[in-house]
Short mmCIF file of all heavy atoms in Angstrom, two decimals:
data_model
loop_
_atom_site.label_atom_id
_atom_site.label_comp_id
_atom_site.label_asym_id
_atom_site.label_seq_id
_atom_site.Cartn_x
_atom_site.Cartn_y
_atom_site.Cartn_z
N VAL A 1 0.84 -1.20 0.00
CA VAL A 1 0.00 0.00 0.00
C VAL A 1 0.87 1.25 0.00
O VAL A 1 1.98 1.27 0.53
CB VAL A 1 -0.94 0.02 1.23
CG1 VAL A 1 -2.09 -0.96 1.05
CG2 VAL A 1 -0.19 -0.28 2.54
N SER A 2 0.32 2.32 -0.60
CA SER A 2 1.01 3.60 -0.67
C SER A 2 -0.04 4.70 -0.64
O SER A 2 -1.17 4.47 -0.26
CB SER A 2 1.88 3.66 -1.93
OG SER A 2 2.68 4.82 -1.92
N GLY A 3 0.34 5.90 -1.07
CA GLY A 3 -0.59 7.04 -1.04
C GLY A 3 -0.40 7.87 0.21
O GLY A 3 0.19 7.41 1.19
N PRO A 4 -0.90 9.13 0.22
CA PRO A 4 -0.61 10.07 1.31
C PRO A 4 -0.86 9.55 2.73
O PRO A 4 0.00 9.70 3.60
CB PRO A 4 -1.53 11.26 1.01
CG PRO A 4 -1.73 11.20 -0.47
CD PRO A 4 -1.70 9.74 -0.84
N VAL A 5 -2.02 8.91 2.98
CA VAL A 5 -2.31 8.49 4.36
C VAL A 5 -1.38 7.36 4.80
O VAL A 5 -1.03 7.24 5.98
CB VAL A 5 -3.79 8.08 4.56
CG1 VAL A 5 -4.71 9.27 4.36
CG2 VAL A 5 -4.20 6.93 3.65
N ILE A 6 -0.96 6.52 3.86
CA ILE A 6 -0.06 5.41 4.17
C ILE A 6 1.35 5.94 4.42
O ILE A 6 2.02 5.55 5.38
CB ILE A 6 -0.04 4.37 3.03
CG1 ILE A 6 -1.45 3.81 2.78
CG2 ILE A 6 0.97 3.26 3.32
CD1 ILE A 6 -2.06 3.03 3.93
N LEU A 7 1.79 6.86 3.55
CA LEU A 7 3.14 7.42 3.70
C LEU A 7 3.29 8.11 5.05
O LEU A 7 4.28 7.90 5.77
CB LEU A 7 3.44 8.40 2.56
CG LEU A 7 3.45 7.81 1.14
CD1 LEU A 7 3.68 8.90 0.10
CD2 LEU A 7 4.53 6.73 0.99
N SER A 8 2.30 8.95 5.40
CA SER A 8 2.38 9.62 6.71
C SER A 8 2.34 8.60 7.84
O SER A 8 3.08 8.71 8.81
CB SER A 8 1.23 10.62 6.87
OG SER A 8 1.51 11.80 6.16
N GLY A 9 1.48 7.61 7.71
CA GLY A 9 1.36 6.59 8.76
C GLY A 9 2.64 5.78 8.94
O GLY A 9 2.97 5.36 10.05
N SER A 10 3.38 5.60 7.84
CA SER A 10 4.59 4.76 7.91
C SER A 10 5.59 5.28 8.94
O SER A 10 6.32 4.52 9.55
CB SER A 10 5.26 4.67 6.53
OG SER A 10 5.87 5.91 6.17
N ARG A 11 5.60 6.60 9.14
CA ARG A 11 6.55 7.20 10.10
C ARG A 11 6.32 6.70 11.53
O ARG A 11 7.25 6.61 12.31
CB ARG A 11 6.41 8.73 10.04
CG ARG A 11 7.33 9.50 10.99
CD ARG A 11 8.79 9.23 10.66
NE ARG A 11 9.73 9.93 11.52
CZ ARG A 11 10.06 9.57 12.75
NH1 ARG A 11 9.49 8.51 13.30
NH2 ARG A 11 10.95 10.25 13.45
N HIS A 12 5.07 6.34 11.83
CA HIS A 12 4.72 5.91 13.20
C HIS A 12 5.08 4.46 13.47
O HIS A 12 5.00 4.00 14.60
CB HIS A 12 3.23 6.10 13.43
CG HIS A 12 2.81 7.53 13.40
ND1 HIS A 12 2.58 8.25 14.54
CD2 HIS A 12 2.62 8.37 12.37
CE1 HIS A 12 2.25 9.49 14.20
NE2 HIS A 12 2.27 9.58 12.89
N LEU A 13 5.43 3.72 12.43
CA LEU A 13 5.66 2.29 12.58
C LEU A 13 7.14 1.95 12.77
O LEU A 13 7.49 0.82 13.07
CB LEU A 13 5.13 1.53 11.34
CG LEU A 13 3.73 1.94 10.85
CD1 LEU A 13 3.31 1.06 9.69
CD2 LEU A 13 2.71 1.86 11.98
N LEU A 14 8.01 2.96 12.58
CA LEU A 14 9.45 2.70 12.59
C LEU A 14 9.92 2.03 13.87
O LEU A 14 10.65 1.05 13.84
CB LEU A 14 10.23 4.01 12.40
CG LEU A 14 10.30 4.55 10.97
CD1 LEU A 14 11.02 5.88 10.95
CD2 LEU A 14 11.00 3.56 10.06
N GLU A 15 9.49 2.57 15.02
CA GLU A 15 10.01 2.04 16.29
C GLU A 15 9.50 0.62 16.57
O GLU A 15 10.04 -0.07 17.42
CB GLU A 15 9.69 2.97 17.45
CG GLU A 15 8.21 3.15 17.71
CD GLU A 15 7.95 4.17 18.82
OE1 GLU A 15 8.18 3.82 19.99
OE2 GLU A 15 7.50 5.29 18.50
N TYR A 16 8.48 0.19 15.83
CA TYR A 16 7.96 -1.17 16.02
C TYR A 16 8.56 -2.15 15.02
O TYR A 16 8.21 -3.34 15.03
CB TYR A 16 6.43 -1.17 15.89
CG TYR A 16 5.76 -0.34 16.96
CD1 TYR A 16 5.52 1.02 16.78
CD2 TYR A 16 5.40 -0.91 18.19
CE1 TYR A 16 4.93 1.79 17.77
CE2 TYR A 16 4.81 -0.16 19.18
CZ TYR A 16 4.58 1.19 18.97
OH TYR A 16 4.00 1.95 19.97
N GLU A 17 9.45 -1.64 14.16
CA GLU A 17 10.13 -2.48 13.15
C GLU A 17 9.12 -3.25 12.28
O GLU A 17 9.41 -4.34 11.80
CB GLU A 17 11.08 -3.48 13.83
CG GLU A 17 12.09 -2.86 14.78
CD GLU A 17 13.25 -2.19 14.07
OE1 GLU A 17 13.40 -2.42 12.86
OE2 GLU A 17 13.98 -1.43 14.72
N TYR A 18 7.92 -2.70 12.14
CA TYR A 18 6.85 -3.29 11.31
C TYR A 18 6.38 -4.65 11.82
O TYR A 18 5.75 -5.40 11.09
CB TYR A 18 7.29 -3.40 9.84
CG TYR A 18 7.81 -2.10 9.29
CD1 TYR A 18 9.16 -1.92 9.04
CD2 TYR A 18 6.95 -1.03 9.03
CE1 TYR A 18 9.65 -0.70 8.56
CE2 TYR A 18 7.42 0.18 8.55
CZ TYR A 18 8.77 0.33 8.32
OH TYR A 18 9.25 1.53 7.85
N ARG A 19 6.65 -4.96 13.09
CA ARG A 19 6.20 -6.25 13.64
C ARG A 19 4.83 -6.10 14.29
O ARG A 19 4.58 -5.12 15.00
CB ARG A 19 7.20 -6.75 14.69
CG ARG A 19 8.52 -7.19 14.08
CD ARG A 19 9.34 -8.02 15.08
NE ARG A 19 10.68 -8.21 14.56
CZ ARG A 19 11.74 -7.52 14.97
NH1 ARG A 19 11.62 -6.62 15.92
NH2 ARG A 19 12.93 -7.74 14.46
N ASP A 20 3.96 -7.10 14.07
CA ASP A 20 2.63 -7.13 14.70
C ASP A 20 1.81 -5.88 14.39
O ASP A 20 1.04 -5.41 15.23
CB ASP A 20 2.75 -7.31 16.23
CG ASP A 20 3.47 -8.59 16.60
OD1 ASP A 20 3.14 -9.63 16.02
OD2 ASP A 20 4.38 -8.54 17.45
N ILE A 21 1.99 -5.35 13.19
CA ILE A 21 1.23 -4.16 12.79
C ILE A 21 0.14 -4.56 11.81
O ILE A 21 0.39 -5.29 10.85
CB ILE A 21 2.15 -3.12 12.09
CG1 ILE A 21 3.37 -2.76 12.95
CG2 ILE A 21 1.35 -1.87 11.70
CD1 ILE A 21 3.11 -1.85 14.09
N GLU A 22 -1.06 -4.05 12.07
CA GLU A 22 -2.18 -4.33 11.18
C GLU A 22 -2.72 -3.01 10.64
O GLU A 22 -2.81 -2.02 11.37
CB GLU A 22 -3.27 -5.08 11.95
CG GLU A 22 -4.09 -6.00 11.08
CD GLU A 22 -4.99 -6.94 11.91
OE1 GLU A 22 -5.19 -6.70 13.12
OE2 GLU A 22 -5.49 -7.89 11.32
N LEU A 23 -3.07 -3.01 9.36
CA LEU A 23 -3.72 -1.86 8.74
C LEU A 23 -5.21 -2.14 8.66
O LEU A 23 -5.62 -3.18 8.17
CB LEU A 23 -3.14 -1.64 7.33
CG LEU A 23 -3.89 -0.65 6.42
CD1 LEU A 23 -3.87 0.76 7.00
CD2 LEU A 23 -3.29 -0.66 5.01
N HIS A 24 -6.00 -1.19 9.15
CA HIS A 24 -7.47 -1.29 9.09
C HIS A 24 -7.97 -0.20 8.16
O HIS A 24 -7.65 0.98 8.37
CB HIS A 24 -8.10 -1.07 10.47
CG HIS A 24 -7.56 -1.97 11.54
ND1 HIS A 24 -8.31 -2.98 12.11
CD2 HIS A 24 -6.35 -2.01 12.17
CE1 HIS A 24 -7.57 -3.60 13.03
NE2 HIS A 24 -6.39 -3.03 13.08
N ILE A 25 -8.74 -0.56 7.16
CA ILE A 25 -9.29 0.43 6.23
C ILE A 25 -10.81 0.45 6.34
O ILE A 25 -11.46 -0.60 6.20
CB ILE A 25 -8.90 0.11 4.76
CG1 ILE A 25 -7.39 -0.04 4.62
CG2 ILE A 25 -9.43 1.18 3.81
CD1 ILE A 25 -6.95 -0.65 3.29
N ASP A 26 -11.35 1.62 6.61
CA ASP A 26 -12.80 1.81 6.55
C ASP A 26 -13.09 2.33 5.14
O ASP A 26 -12.80 3.49 4.83
CB ASP A 26 -13.24 2.82 7.62
CG ASP A 26 -14.76 3.02 7.64
OD1 ASP A 26 -15.42 2.58 6.67
OD2 ASP A 26 -15.27 3.64 8.60
N ILE A 27 -13.61 1.45 4.30
CA ILE A 27 -13.83 1.79 2.89
C ILE A 27 -14.99 2.76 2.72
O ILE A 27 -15.04 3.52 1.76
CB ILE A 27 -14.05 0.49 2.07
CG1 ILE A 27 -12.76 -0.37 2.11
CG2 ILE A 27 -14.43 0.78 0.62
CD1 ILE A 27 -12.94 -1.78 1.58
N LYS A 28 -15.91 2.76 3.68
CA LYS A 28 -17.08 3.64 3.61
C LYS A 28 -17.22 4.48 4.89
O LYS A 28 -18.18 4.32 5.67
CB LYS A 28 -18.36 2.81 3.40
CG LYS A 28 -18.43 2.10 2.05
CD LYS A 28 -18.70 3.11 0.94
CE LYS A 28 -18.64 2.47 -0.43
NZ LYS A 28 -18.75 3.50 -1.49
N PRO A 29 -16.27 5.38 5.15
CA PRO A 29 -16.29 6.12 6.42
C PRO A 29 -17.46 7.08 6.58
O PRO A 29 -17.81 7.45 7.70
CB PRO A 29 -14.95 6.89 6.40
CG PRO A 29 -14.58 6.99 4.96
CD PRO A 29 -15.13 5.77 4.30
N ALA A 30 -18.08 7.49 5.46
CA ALA A 30 -19.21 8.44 5.56
C ALA A 30 -20.48 7.76 6.11
O ALA A 30 -21.41 8.44 6.53
CB ALA A 30 -19.50 9.04 4.20
N LEU A 31 -20.50 6.44 6.11
CA LEU A 31 -21.67 5.70 6.60
C LEU A 31 -21.30 4.91 7.86
O LEU A 31 -20.30 4.19 7.85
CB LEU A 31 -22.17 4.71 5.53
CG LEU A 31 -22.53 5.30 4.15
CD1 LEU A 31 -22.82 4.18 3.17
CD2 LEU A 31 -23.72 6.24 4.27
N ASP A 32 -22.09 5.04 8.93
CA ASP A 32 -21.82 4.19 10.09
C ASP A 32 -22.34 2.77 9.77
O ASP A 32 -22.90 2.53 8.70
CB ASP A 32 -22.45 4.75 11.37
CG ASP A 32 -23.97 4.88 11.30
OD1 ASP A 32 -24.59 4.16 10.47
OD2 ASP A 32 -24.54 5.67 12.07
N TYR A 33 -22.15 1.83 10.69
CA TYR A 33 -22.50 0.43 10.43
C TYR A 33 -23.96 0.29 10.02
O TYR A 33 -24.31 -0.40 9.06
CB TYR A 33 -22.21 -0.43 11.67
CG TYR A 33 -20.75 -0.81 11.81
CD1 TYR A 33 -19.82 0.09 12.33
CD2 TYR A 33 -20.30 -2.08 11.42
CE1 TYR A 33 -18.49 -0.25 12.45
CE2 TYR A 33 -18.96 -2.43 11.54
CZ TYR A 33 -18.05 -1.52 12.05
OH TYR A 33 -16.73 -1.86 12.16
N ASP A 34 -24.82 0.98 10.76
CA ASP A 34 -26.25 0.87 10.52
C ASP A 34 -26.64 1.43 9.14
O ASP A 34 -27.38 0.80 8.38
CB ASP A 34 -27.01 1.61 11.64
CG ASP A 34 -28.50 1.33 11.59
OD1 ASP A 34 -28.85 0.14 11.43
OD2 ASP A 34 -29.30 2.28 11.69
N LYS A 35 -26.09 2.61 8.81
CA LYS A 35 -26.40 3.23 7.51
C LYS A 35 -25.84 2.41 6.35
O LYS A 35 -26.47 2.30 5.30
CB LYS A 35 -25.83 4.66 7.46
CG LYS A 35 -26.68 5.66 8.24
CD LYS A 35 -26.16 7.07 8.08
CE LYS A 35 -27.02 8.05 8.88
NZ LYS A 35 -26.24 9.18 9.38
N LEU A 36 -24.66 1.84 6.56
CA LEU A 36 -24.07 1.01 5.51
C LEU A 36 -24.92 -0.25 5.31
O LEU A 36 -25.15 -0.68 4.17
CB LEU A 36 -22.62 0.65 5.85
CG LEU A 36 -21.89 -0.21 4.81
CD1 LEU A 36 -21.89 0.44 3.43
CD2 LEU A 36 -20.45 -0.49 5.25
N ASP A 37 -25.38 -0.82 6.40
CA ASP A 37 -26.24 -2.01 6.30
C ASP A 37 -27.51 -1.68 5.51
O ASP A 37 -27.92 -2.43 4.63
CB ASP A 37 -26.58 -2.51 7.71
CG ASP A 37 -27.38 -3.81 7.66
OD1 ASP A 37 -27.16 -4.61 6.72
OD2 ASP A 37 -28.24 -4.03 8.53
N LYS A 38 -28.11 -0.52 5.83
CA LYS A 38 -29.33 -0.11 5.11
C LYS A 38 -29.02 0.12 3.62
O LYS A 38 -29.82 -0.24 2.75
CB LYS A 38 -29.91 1.16 5.73
CG LYS A 38 -30.60 0.92 7.07
CD LYS A 38 -31.37 2.16 7.51
CE LYS A 38 -32.26 1.89 8.71
NZ LYS A 38 -31.55 1.66 9.96
#
């Protein structure tokens, strides 16, 4: 993965040496769970 949000985020992962790191993407952030279900 790349792009602005990933590049900025990468700086925060350095001290963890990329171990046990998970990326979570909310593909539809404008809708909460209930609205997305509807």
Side-chain angles (χ1 to χ4, degrees):
V1 285
S2 187
V5 295
I6 301 296
L7 297 177
S8 282
S10 71
R11 179 62 180 79
H12 295 259
L13 314 183
L14 282 177
E15 63 184 286
Y16 297 89
E17 306 283 347
Y18 308 108
R19 290 195 191 101
D20 301 313
I21 306 284
E22 209 169 15
L23 168 64
H24 306 250
I25 305 167
D26 182 347
I27 296 168
K28 293 287 174 186
L31 304 172
D32 61 22
Y33 280 80
D34 190 45
K35 282 185 181 148
L36 180 57
D37 184 32
K38 286 191 170 70

